[in-house]
Amino acid sequence: MEKATFAAGCFWGVEAAFRRVPGVASAAVGYAGGWLENPSYEDVCYRESGHAEAVQVEYDPSEVSYDDLLEVFWSVHDPTTLNRQGPDVGAQYRSAVFFHGPEQEAAARASRDKLEDSGRYRSPIVTEIVPASAFYRAEEHHQRYLEKRGGA
């Protein structure tokens, strides 16, 4: 199994999208990219923690490629809006790829550049591509949130 970590706005819908991908063994919502250790949802949403709402995916690369996961990532959000997705505003909703090694970094940059060159968006892509650091799993009531509510 390998890991991939993405931030694409509110983590509930992003988690649900990755859970539907064959080859994804698990997807967990949490917090990544900040400086506060062991943040809570309140820390991330209402205080300065530096974290983004993120999803960490464990996947079998013999069943699904990292490039395929990147395609899902790009399709579930607008990567041209800085610190915002739809009605959700703030740095915790930023677009980011947290790469786990040089292969993922290269793939993420190539994927972003290809999308940028495609002309799909009028505005530039603002997605951060940065090294993965600590991932803090969100509180249990946030895991599979949409599924628990009948929305996924």
Side-chain angles (χ1 to χ4, degrees):
M1 288 294 161
E2 292 188 22
K3 288 183 183 175
T5 308
F6 304 101
C10 177
F11 50 26
W12 298 329
V14 179
E15 175 199 29
F18 280 112
R19 283 192 177 280
R20 290 190 290 267
V21 176
V24 169
S26 68
V29 298
Y31 317 112
W35 55 83
L36 183 65
E37 290 185 24
N38 299 309
S40 68
Y41 183 76
E42 289 73 24
D43 290 330
V44 173
C45 290
Y46 305 113
R47 297 178 189 88
E48 287 296 315
S49 73
H51 291 285
E53 290 192 13
V55 175
Q56 190 161 83
V57 174
E58 288 194 7
Y59 68 100
D60 182 343
S62 70
E63 294 183 40
V64 62
S65 71
Y66 186 70
D67 286 335
D68 291 336
L69 297 178
L70 286 165
E71 288 294 322
V72 173
F73 167 74
W74 297 121
S75 73
V76 297
H77 77 299
D78 180 351
T80 68
T81 55
L82 184 63
N83 298 333
R84 173 185 199 123
Q85 287 300 311
D88 298 323
V89 179
Q92 71 269 28
Y93 300 115
R94 66 187 180 270
S95 174
V97 175
F98 299 100
F99 60 83
H100 297 264
E103 297 84 11
Q104 285 188 359
E105 178 184 15
R109 292 186 187 287
S111 178
R112 180 206 51 208
D113 294 349
K114 180 180 174 186
L115 186 58
E116 187 88 75
D117 293 343
S118 75
R120 180 173 167 187
Y121 297 106
R122 291 183 185 183
S123 300
I125 292 173
V126 296
T127 302
E128 297 177 357
I129 300 175
V130 296
S133 56
F135 177 82
Y136 298 99
R137 187 178 167 93
E139 299 82 351
E140 194 55 39
H141 64 275
H142 290 293
Q143 306 300 325
R144 297 179 176 239
Y145 183 85
L146 294 180
E147 187 178 313
K148 292 172 186 174
R149 302 291 180 282

